[in-house]
């Protein structure tokens, strides 16, 4: 079973549709801050299968632990996070807390439950003001705003975890 955090958001919901269309079992975790519960109905109308939906937050360790205890989650596709550059400049503490603490909490619960596969939805903003187009993964990362900084830091956390545990598989989008 695949956990899709932020699975009722735009990219998350499209990912859930594709996963279900190839026969994967999916559970969505979303706090609905930037999406609507009705998206689950739309996914069902497209795929003819209703995904499991859990309303919850990646910063809530108890809720995550309950989710991982309730379902046989083998991998995670992590889309949950705040994502507006301008808002991140106005509310940096909120962005650092949600995006960094949320990802750390998710990773801790994954480790506790033996789940060692994650795909992380990053952002082109991790390349800062680089003029090298098209961007390639070997470019150095940097950031010009709190949102971008959280993405750079999340990538680094995931890289460090994968380096320390060779069984931990990470893909950065």
């Amino acid at each position: 079973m695949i956990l899709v955090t932020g699975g009722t958001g735009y990219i998350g919901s499209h990912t859930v549709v594709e996963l279900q269309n190839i026969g994967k079992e999916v559970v969505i975790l979303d706090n609905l801050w930037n999406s609507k519960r009705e998206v689950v109905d739309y996914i069902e109308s497209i795929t003819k299968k209703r995904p499991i939906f859990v309303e919850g937050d990646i910063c809530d360790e108890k809720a995550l632990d309950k989710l991982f205890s309730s379902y046989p989650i083998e991998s995670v596709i992590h889309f949950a996070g705040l994502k507006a550059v301008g808002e991140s400049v106005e509310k940096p503490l909120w962005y650092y807390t949600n995006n960094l603490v949320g990802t750390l909490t998710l990773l801790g619960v994954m480790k506790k439950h033996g789940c060692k596969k994650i795909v992380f939805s990053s952002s082109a903003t991790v390349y800062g003001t680089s003029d090298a187009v098209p961007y390639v993964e070997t470019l150095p990362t940097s950031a010009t705003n709190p949102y971008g900084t959280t993405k750079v830091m999340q990538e680094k956390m995931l890289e460090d975890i994968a380096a320390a545990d060779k069984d931990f598989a990470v893909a950065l989008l």
Side-chain angles (χ1 to χ4, degrees):
M1 179 170 279
I2 301 170
L3 170 62
V4 179
T5 67
T8 59
Y10 183 79
I11 298 171
S13 63
H14 283 74
T15 300
V16 171
V17 166
E18 293 304 315
L19 290 169
Q20 289 196 166
N21 279 340
I22 62 170
K24 300 296 183 184
E25 293 290 322
V26 178
V27 60
I28 296 170
L29 176 71
D30 204 302
N31 62 15
L32 302 174
W33 283 0
N34 196 29
S35 60
K36 294 182 166 105
R37 184 181 304 273
E38 292 80 24
V39 171
V40 178
D41 298 329
Y42 302 144
I43 293 169
E44 181 180 23
S45 71
I46 293 167
T47 66
K48 307 302 182 230
K49 181 173 183 183
R50 188 167 191 84
I52 298 165
F53 173 74
V54 176
E55 185 174 349
D57 194 285
I58 59 170
C59 292
D60 185 342
E61 185 175 357
K62 288 181 183 177
L64 283 173
D65 191 54
K66 181 178 178 183
L67 180 66
F68 275 80
S69 295
S70 299
Y71 300 100
I73 298 168
E74 298 173 352
S75 59
V76 175
I77 303 177
H78 183 29
F79 294 113
L82 299 172
K83 60 177 178 56
V85 170
E87 183 179 65
S88 78
V89 173
E90 295 169 9
K91 301 174 182 177
L93 183 60
W94 188 34
Y95 272 69
Y96 288 119
T97 300
N98 185 80
N99 293 359
L100 298 178
V101 173
T103 297
L104 284 170
T105 303
L106 174 64
L107 289 167
V109 173
M110 286 174 64
K111 180 178 179 179
K112 177 181 175 182
H113 290 271
C115 180
K116 294 187 174 189
K117 295 177 189 171
I118 187 168
V119 175
F120 174 63
S121 179
S122 190
S123 170
T125 194
V126 301
Y127 299 114
T129 57
S130 175
D131 290 328
V133 177
Y135 293 149
V136 294
E137 292 178 349
T138 55
L139 286 172
T141 57
S142 64
T144 59
N145 55 70
Y147 164 70
T149 301
T150 67
K151 289 296 189 175
V152 170
M153 293 172 79
Q154 287 168 298
E155 284 191 11
K156 183 64 176 151
M157 290 185 313
L158 288 161
E159 289 168 352
D160 289 346
I161 290 166
D165 182 348
K166 299 302 181 198
D167 293 330
F168 202 95
V170 173
L172 305 172
L173 301 179

